[in-house]
Amino acid sequence: MTDHLQAASPLMRPFSPPPRLLMGPGPITVDPRVLRAMSAQLVGQYDPAMTQCMNETMALYRAVFETDNEWTLLVDGTSRAGIEAVLVSLLEPGDKVLVPIFGRFGHLLTEIAERCGAEVHRLEKNWGEVFTPEEIETAVREIRPKVLAVVQGDTSTTMLQPLEELSAICKQYDALLYSDATASIGGNALKVDEWQLDAVSVGLQKCLCGPSGSAPVTLSAKAVDVIRRRKHIEAGIRSEHHREGRGQRIGSNYFDLGMIMDYWGEERLNHHTEATTMLYGARECARILLEEGLPNAIDRHRLHGRAMTEGLAAMNLKLFGDLKHKMHNVVGVYIPDGIAGESVRQSMLQDYGIEIGTSFGPLHGRIWRIGTMGYNARKDAVLQTLVALEAVLRRGGHSLTAGAGTDTALNIYREEGL
């Protein structure tokens, strides 16, 4: 091999990431138990131990989603893979879909639905607000969509869209109700069966305390019927007893939920080689959450989110958005006048090893987003972040009362007996 094709010597060293406390909107610091689970050795994809792990993971995520849905499984890929799998499997070209947009990720649902060939209708709110059921019902009544696609928690704005009353609207007008709940699940209530959601997709990298790379999905019987009508079996694994669906074949092979269900189901029809290490991690994320108990986990996120939010307010920082509809696990604060927002983030990262987030679109350069998610929804992480941010802000000339942020947070913890 010639010299110019050889890897430079620094590249031959293992990559060693610096220590970081990830207190932004995600990803977050992964729970060490999840990292340990992901270090386990691989087994063959049809080894009985592997299929048992898959079945156990399905059962665990039924409890996480609070559903009896048979088809509760993983899509291999980031949370965006789950969104795309649901939308490309439910939507045929020309189908109407309504997307209420109150942040960046409503725009993402819109783009993916457009790429599916759907007729997409947008309902938009100012970033920092959410929709009332009446606003959504008016649009559904007028448009009569096949799918109402809504983000539950949008980290770009920190807002949590209420879902509880939407299923009755969808039933009245014969629409499927789909929600992406990546940012909210595990830290805020999400009751799939009680709220009668037809499809939900999530990721691991927020309150589920895992890495990005696996997308749990759950599907109602009604959603499964729609997908099964488009059923397709690949040549090479198709047998005489298999029957094709009547609808248009799903436009993506990899994200075809019909074929993915056949892979996760009893027949185990080969679709792809399962991302085994991510399966181990996803299983452990669910196990950890359920061991703590869903109500306890949600209350933990509420407590530490409150301590962070009120601590920031005590530091003479203005909070962003409609706080009645803020997620427990992330808060937005306006960057003070005269303070260079990116310089503060850089100092937090380089001097203190703590990452906080910027934002997108109309909020870029206007707010920071600070998370208390998953493994980082804990007292020491909140206090470290408040102490470091106060020091950086004071050096930058921001006026605040020394110690006010941590004192406020500590008083909240004392009230809660922590």
Side-chain angles (χ1 to χ4, degrees), residues 165-178:
E165 299 182 46
L166 300 188
S167 64
I169 296 168
C170 288
K171 287 183 182 301
Q172 183 176 355
Y173 298 102
D174 194 27
L176 292 165
L177 177 55
Y178 160 63

Side-chain angles (χ1 to χ4, degrees), residues 55-336:
N55 289 338
E56 290 174 353
T57 302
M58 295 174 79
L60 287 165
Y61 275 97
R62 290 187 190 105
V64 169
F65 283 117
E66 298 194 51
T67 184
D68 289 326
N69 286 342
E70 176 185 4
W71 295 110
T72 301
L73 45 76
L74 304 181
V75 174
D76 287 344
T78 65
S79 51
R80 188 174 299 219
I83 296 170
E84 188 153 348
V86 170
L87 291 178
V88 77
S89 299
L90 291 179
L91 294 172
E92 297 185 47
D95 283 342
K96 292 181 179 180
V97 58
L98 173 64
V99 183
I101 300 171
F102 60 101
R104 176 197 170 184
F105 294 100
H107 288 292
L108 174 62
L109 299 191
T110 297
E111 173 162 331
I112 292 174
E114 287 174 341
R115 287 173 179 259
C116 295
E119 179 186 316
V120 182
H121 296 260
R122 300 167 179 81
L123 187 63
E124 297 200 41
K125 271 277 189 181
N126 292 328
W127 289 25
E129 302 175 6
V130 298
F131 294 91
T132 66
E134 292 76 19
E135 289 171 324
I136 292 176
E137 180 173 11
T138 297
V140 170
R141 182 172 60 246
E142 177 183 339
I143 295 162
R144 302 298 175 102
K146 178 181 181 180
V147 176
L148 170 62
V150 60
V151 175
Q152 185 191 27
D154 195 314
T155 49
S156 68
T157 67
T158 76
M159 294 295 108
L160 186 77
Q161 171 63 48
L163 302 178
E164 296 90 320
E165 299 182 46
L166 300 188
S167 64
I169 296 168
C170 288
K171 287 183 182 301
Q172 183 176 355
Y173 298 102
D174 194 27
L176 292 165
L177 177 55
Y178 160 63
S179 179
D180 168 63
T182 297
S184 47
I185 191 170
N188 307 266
L190 177 69
K191 301 176 182 293
V192 170
D193 281 2
E194 182 178 326
W195 298 349
Q196 300 180 59
L197 308 178
D198 290 301
V200 180
S201 64
V202 303
L204 306 181
Q205 71 272 21
K206 312 281 187 177
C207 301
L208 293 179
C209 69
S212 178
S214 185
V217 170
T218 189
L219 303 165
S220 72
K222 186 177 178 181
V224 170
D225 285 345
V226 171
I227 296 166
R228 289 297 197 200
R229 285 200 293 270
R230 305 174 68 188
K231 186 177 178 67
H232 170 71
I233 308 294
E234 290 179 7
I237 61 172
R238 187 186 305 134
S239 300
E240 290 184 1
H241 71 278
H242 291 133
R243 296 291 179 266
E244 295 286 288
R246 300 184 303 278
Q248 184 171 358
R249 184 172 64 174
I250 290 168
S252 169
N253 175 288
Y254 188 72
F255 293 131
D256 184 328
L257 282 177
M259 293 200 295
I260 294 173
M261 287 189 288
D262 286 338
Y263 177 54
W264 281 76
E266 290 184 5
E267 199 168 3
R268 302 289 176 189
L269 288 180
N270 182 260
H271 177 255
H272 63 284
T273 301
E274 180 61 23
T276 308
T277 298
M278 285 307 307
L279 172 67
Y280 296 162
R283 185 192 184 284
E284 184 68 357
C285 286
R287 188 199 68 78
I288 290 169
L289 177 62
L290 297 173
E291 181 180 61
E292 180 179 9
L294 277 170
N296 294 332
I298 292 169
D299 192 56
R300 173 169 57 87
H301 283 87
R302 177 200 59 77
L303 168 60
H304 296 296
R306 179 188 167 210
M308 179 67 81
T309 298
E310 295 190 21
L312 292 167
M315 292 164 58
N316 193 26
L317 293 170
K318 181 182 177 184
L319 304 176
F320 171 78
D322 178 1
L323 297 181
K324 297 190 301 296
H325 294 290
K326 187 188 76 65
M327 283 186 281
H328 291 148
N329 49 295
V330 62
V331 59
V333 292
Y334 285 99
I335 299 169

Side-chain angles (χ1 to χ4, degrees), residues 25-40:
I28 51 80
T29 308
V30 175
D31 191 304
R33 292 171 290 181
V34 176
L35 295 177
R36 286 195 294 269
M38 294 178 70
S39 70

